[in-house]
């Protein structure tokens, strides 16, 4: 099916090393002239690291835009590298964990109306725990621990986890586990 | 726990009626001078409309940033109105459905690193089907239908649903249903 918008022109109205903001002049699907602003950033990864009891590792991290500390899954922006390599690096930096087994789950769009960024969810298993290195020293991550998926569900319900990208990853991870439990 | 960043100054580097882009001059958690860019937009709602068989209504809509048509849950930006009223309006506009029973589930943050926007997931039941009105006429939504939650899981697995906000809402809705089935 065809694109119901017509793009007349496109310009970058702001950029910094992490993002570019685009403003397109458009004809809307109803035939009116207007603008559409959206936001380009690097694709990212988010990692569900599961131990042998299928507990998942969460980090307690600070969100600058939200001005709050929250529990969430580790992950971050890709640097145009291989997705598995990016995930290994993010997991090591933020948790000190190395994993022998990696599964690439789905790629999802972060914000339908405003962003081009996609996040790929990865499942990491057969873990070796190490020292939480740079991230803790940086003050960006205060602590981390394993939680059962039932505890995580309760933390989401209570608002202790409110990062949508983490909740999306939890859906994908739980569906993967349910499917592969029966194989 | 305290904010590990120090904000030295803050300016709006771009705005349009739907968003404001902020660039803050900061001292990072490691003590370096830098900038942090982020993106402010109105909080939003996303609606899981369930029929008496617990099938959920999906719309087939176009994403301008992603340049693709995808299945997703109805919803949209709030207009500073009551969350239930905003949800009733979005559901009516995008699907023609009215609902007698509304449950407000969790509010989640759309993009931890870049956005202030929060989305509230709502569950709508006791549905009355009507005509899909403006949205279809607008060319923004091509079609809509009810799908079982198992079908929806398969659509997510296949990438036919790849909107992270929809997947987040599906996690919240399934957990609510699992909890209330046993009460």
């Amino acid at each position: 099916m065809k694109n119901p918008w017509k793009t007349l022109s496109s310009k970058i109205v702001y950029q910094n090393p992490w993002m570019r903001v685009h403003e397109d002049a458009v004809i809307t699907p109803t035939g009116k002239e207007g603008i559409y602003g959206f936001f380009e950033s690097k694709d990212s990864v988010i990692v569900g690291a599961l131990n042998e009891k299928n507990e998942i590792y969460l980090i307690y991290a600070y969100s600058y835009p939200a001005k709050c500390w929250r529990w969430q899954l580790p992950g971050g922006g890709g640097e145009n590298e291989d997705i598995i390599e990016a995930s290994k690096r993010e997991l090591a930096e933020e948790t000190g964990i190395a994993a022998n087994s990696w599964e690439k789950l789905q790629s999802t769009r972060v914000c339908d109306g405003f962003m081009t960024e996609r996040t790929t969810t990865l499942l990491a298993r057969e873990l070796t725990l190490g020292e939480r290195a740079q991230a803790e020293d940086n003050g960006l991550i205060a602590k981390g621990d394993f939680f059962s998926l039932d505890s995580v569900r309760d933390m989401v319900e209570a608002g202790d986890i409110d990062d949508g990208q983490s909740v999306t990853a939890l859906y994908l991870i739980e569906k993967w586990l349910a499917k592969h439990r029966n194989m």
Side-chain angles (χ1 to χ4, degrees), chain A residues 5-20:
Chain A
W5 299 79
K6 187 169 173 188
T7 303
L8 304 174
S9 65
S10 190
K11 62 183 174 182
I12 292 169
V13 289
Y14 172 74
Q15 61 183 313
N16 69 33
W18 302 276
M19 68 170 78
R20 284 200 284 197

Side-chain angles (χ1 to χ4, degrees), chain A residues 43-48 73 83-84 87 102-110 117-123 165-177 179-180:
Chain A
D43 289 343
S44 54
V45 294
I46 190 163
V47 180
L73 270 64
I83 281 176
I84 302 277
S87 304
W102 287 88
E103 290 283 342
K104 196 163 83 172
L105 307 187
Q106 280 70 39
S107 148
T108 47
R109 294 180 290 117
V110 177
E117 181 179 326
R118 304 185 69 97
T119 302
T120 302
T121 297
L122 291 105
L123 195 59
Q165 292 169 277
S166 292
V167 178
T168 294
L170 288 167
Y171 178 96
L172 300 175
I173 290 163
E174 289 197 358
K175 295 305 181 194
W176 191 94
L177 289 172
K179 183 173 182 181
H180 291 80

Side-chain angles (χ1 to χ4, degrees), chain A residues 30-86:
Chain A
T30 53
K32 292 184 189 131
E33 283 197 38
I35 60 164
Y36 200 111
F38 64 96
F39 176 4
E40 184 190 353
S41 48
K42 286 179 183 141
D43 289 343
S44 54
V45 294
I46 190 163
V47 180
L50 295 181
N51 66 15
E52 67 289 344
K53 292 185 273 187
N54 277 348
E55 294 169 332
I56 193 165
Y57 197 88
L58 301 181
I59 56 172
Y60 194 66
Y62 190 80
S63 168
Y64 187 88
K67 302 277 182 281
C68 65
W69 289 91
R70 284 289 188 281
W71 289 102
Q72 59 184 58
L73 270 64
E79 317 276 350
N80 297 322
E81 59 196 313
D82 173 79
I83 281 176
I84 302 277
E85 290 309 309

